[in-house]
Amino acid sequence: MRLDGKTAIVTGAGSGFGAGIARRFLAEGARVMVADINEKAAMAVAEEFGGLGHRVDVADGASVSAMIERATELMGSIDILVNNAGVTHLPAFMEEVTEADFDRVFAVNCKSVYLAARALVPQMKATGAGTILNIASTAGVSPRPRLNWYNASKGWMNTATRAMAVELAPFGIRVNALNPVAGETPLLKSFMGEDTPEMRAKFLSTIPLGRFSTPEDLANAALYLCSDEASMITGVCMEVDGGRCI
């Protein structure tokens, strides 16, 4: 019960890493809003594990503000925000990625962090405490070819994490990030281009520990960084990657 009495919002929590984080937070005693653009998926996770399902478009300011307002109304002040929702473009040479795909990647992966901070940071400043966790990617640390603009968006996320940490520390707010290697999530096929045994073997050959990351791996790291055990840790971009970035 390491999050007993805490309130949390996890975006992109209808599947993959987000669902794993939401489930672990609930198991550790937190009240959790399970937010996702796929309302059915969010509700399914919430109904199974006891959270509060909510539909949100993290790239839309009004939708993000409504999420924060509803979470506050139903759970009280928010202690933890996990910015997990993310998208990628299909593997392609940088000049061949469409403008629409570029805009979508940066809206969901980057603008969402700004929108959530704009909506929630004033509340955290008023209470003098809070934890924000951004789910970035090893792509932002050690970029892969043909995922250029996705790489850049996750690099942005790591830089934003450090900048937020420095600015918000005097207000008692901690900000960290996790950099997972690809895992068994809905984005895996998009990263590889095609999900075949050959492509999986090629991808796994770049991970020294020899396996993909799992929702449980991310949940364990997220739990630590969002718990009071990490009260002296801020501005850290932790790699959860089986050695991928060594």
Side-chain angles (χ1 to χ4, degrees):
M1 303 298 285
R2 292 155 74 184
L3 298 181
D4 190 30
K6 302 284 189 180
T7 56
I9 299 171
V10 183
T11 67
S15 64
F17 294 149
I21 292 169
R23 290 168 181 168
R24 187 64 188 277
F25 281 14
L26 286 161
E28 293 287 339
R31 288 171 291 166
V32 180
M33 173 172 275
V34 179
D36 201 288
I37 196 167
N38 184 333
E39 185 175 17
K40 184 177 180 180
M43 293 300 181
V45 172
E47 288 172 9
E48 184 176 358
F49 295 95
L52 172 67
H54 182 81
R55 184 192 181 278
V56 65
D57 178 353
V58 296
D60 179 80
S63 183
V64 171
S65 294
M67 174 185 71
I68 301 299
E69 290 171 8
R70 183 166 183 245
T72 302
E73 178 184 345
L74 296 177
M75 300 192 300
S77 61
I78 305 305
D79 300 305
I80 301 166
L81 169 67
V82 180
N83 289 309
N84 169 75
V87 296
T88 186
H89 54 80
L90 292 175
F93 292 116
M94 65 177 72
E95 70 274 19
E96 295 175 359
V97 175
T98 68
E99 185 175 354
D101 279 347
F102 176 94
D103 287 344
R104 178 170 173 262
V105 165
F106 275 80
V108 175
N109 295 357
C110 302
K111 185 181 179 182
S112 62
V113 177
Y114 153 73
L115 293 173
R118 185 181 68 172
L120 185 57
V121 163
Q123 181 187 126
M124 288 184 166
K125 283 184 175 180
T127 59
T131 300
I132 299 172
L133 181 65
N134 298 321
I135 308 302
S137 169
T138 54
V141 180
S142 181
R144 291 181 181 273
R146 303 180 74 239
L147 285 172
N148 194 82
W149 308 117
Y150 173 76
N151 297 334
S153 74
K154 292 303 187 176
W156 181 98
M157 225 173 170
N158 284 323
T159 299
T161 295
R162 296 186 180 99
M164 293 168 71
V166 169
E167 182 171 327
L168 295 177
F171 301 96
I173 303 168
R174 297 187 300 109
V175 188
N176 293 295
L178 292 178
N179 285 297
V181 74
E184 294 285 358
T185 75
L187 288 183
L188 180 60
K189 184 177 179 180
S190 297
F191 290 136
M192 296 191 299
E194 57 178 346
D195 192 351
T196 64
E198 294 76 19
M199 285 300 295
R200 283 185 173 236
K202 183 178 179 181
F203 206 102
L204 285 171
S205 70
T206 68
I207 304 172
L209 283 183
R211 67 173 178 85
F212 293 116
S213 57
T214 68
E216 291 74 23
D217 293 325
L218 268 291
N220 290 335
L223 172 63
Y224 170 64
L225 288 176
C226 293
S227 75
D228 291 340
E229 295 171 15
S231 62
M232 190 58 177
I233 298 178
T234 195
V236 165
C237 299
M238 180 188 292
E239 293 154 18
V240 185
D241 68 346
R244 160 76 175 84
C245 290
I246 296 172

